[in-house]
Amino acid sequence: MTSIWAWLSLAGLGAFHGANPAMGWLFAVALGLHGQSARVVWLSLVPIAAGHAASITLVLAAVVVFGTVMDLRSLQLAAAVFILALAGYYGLCGHRHRVIVGMRTGMAGLALWSFLMATSHGAGLMLVPAVLSLCLADQSAVAGMTSSLSVSLAAVAVHTAAMLAVISAIALVIYAWLGLAVLRSTWINFDRLWTLALGATGLILLAS
């Protein structure tokens, strides 16, 4: 049952990340409107998802590596402190980073932008509690790095698939029917939600 909830949380975080305009759908729609082509919207989703997946893969790989030289509780505490510090920084200073990629960027540039955005937001850190619980549930994962990496890669796949599904749906609706003008009157402060989610992740690690 614990494993089921861990997988569901990975998918739920993927949906949450996908709904955040900072993770790519806003850029995809803007590129499509700039090029006056729905095809541009769909093509841009591929490097956006790839860059996001690469970022969280590196974070989870680092967690697995540290897990081979640290006991689980020490790893949880270290991750919790880092995540809470990041959440505190965003809460006090806001998301002040500006990763500039123009409307004429290619697929490689878009993937790099997505990677930097996901990394700077701490997207991969949100997956740490779920992945640690999955590795702990799999006794073979506790004994070896290979199994832990397999679990982590599967987590990345589930998370990215959910994210891509949500991004695709939102991008289609905004591009085909609503347009960016609707965002002028309807907007959710995702930066604040993101900070709260990071803080909740850190607290979960402390309490587990």
Side-chain angles (χ1 to χ4, degrees):
M1 186 61 68
T2 301
S3 297
I4 293 176
W5 282 110
W7 290 114
L8 288 176
S9 68
L10 288 169
L13 284 171
F16 173 62
H17 289 179
N20 188 347
M23 292 297 102
W25 66 258
L26 184 60
F27 205 157
V29 173
L31 286 172
L33 292 174
H34 179 76
Q36 298 183 343
S37 172
R39 182 172 178 270
V40 174
V41 177
W42 298 122
L43 287 177
S44 66
L45 296 178
V46 177
I48 287 173
H52 188 92
S55 174
I56 62 177
T57 297
L58 287 179
V59 172
L60 295 181
V63 170
V64 170
V65 170
F66 280 110
T68 62
V69 297
M70 298 173 63
D71 63 272
L72 178 61
R73 188 54 184 160
S74 296
L75 181 61
Q76 287 177 325
L77 290 175
V81 170
F82 183 78
I83 292 171
L84 289 173
L86 186 63
Y89 171 78
Y90 284 151
L92 293 174
C93 302
H95 297 256
R96 296 180 178 178
H97 52 272
R98 293 291 182 269
V99 182
I100 301 175
V101 176
M103 288 292 109
R104 297 183 182 276
T105 186
M107 295 295 105
L110 193 54
L112 176 61
W113 171 84
S114 178
F115 174 85
L116 294 175
M117 289 298 290
T119 302
S120 62
H121 275 78
L125 294 173
M126 291 186 183
L127 277 62
V128 172
V131 172
L132 285 179
S133 68
L134 288 171
C135 289
L136 188 61
D138 182 359
Q139 296 302 316
S140 63
V142 178
M145 184 185 297
T146 302
S147 297
S148 296
L149 285 174
S150 298
V151 170
S152 298
L153 290 176
V156 171
V158 170
H159 176 84
T160 304
M163 174 194 167
L164 187 56
V166 172
I167 284 183
S168 300
I170 294 177
L172 173 63
V173 171
I174 297 295
Y175 178 83
W177 290 296
L178 301 180
L180 293 178
V182 71
L183 299 180
R184 296 174 182 171
S185 58
T186 305
W187 187 257
I188 299 174
N189 190 333
F190 276 94
D191 282 349
R192 184 169 298 174
L193 285 177
W194 195 277
T195 300
L196 291 174
L198 272 177
T201 301
L203 292 176
I204 289 172
L205 281 173
L206 283 178
S208 59

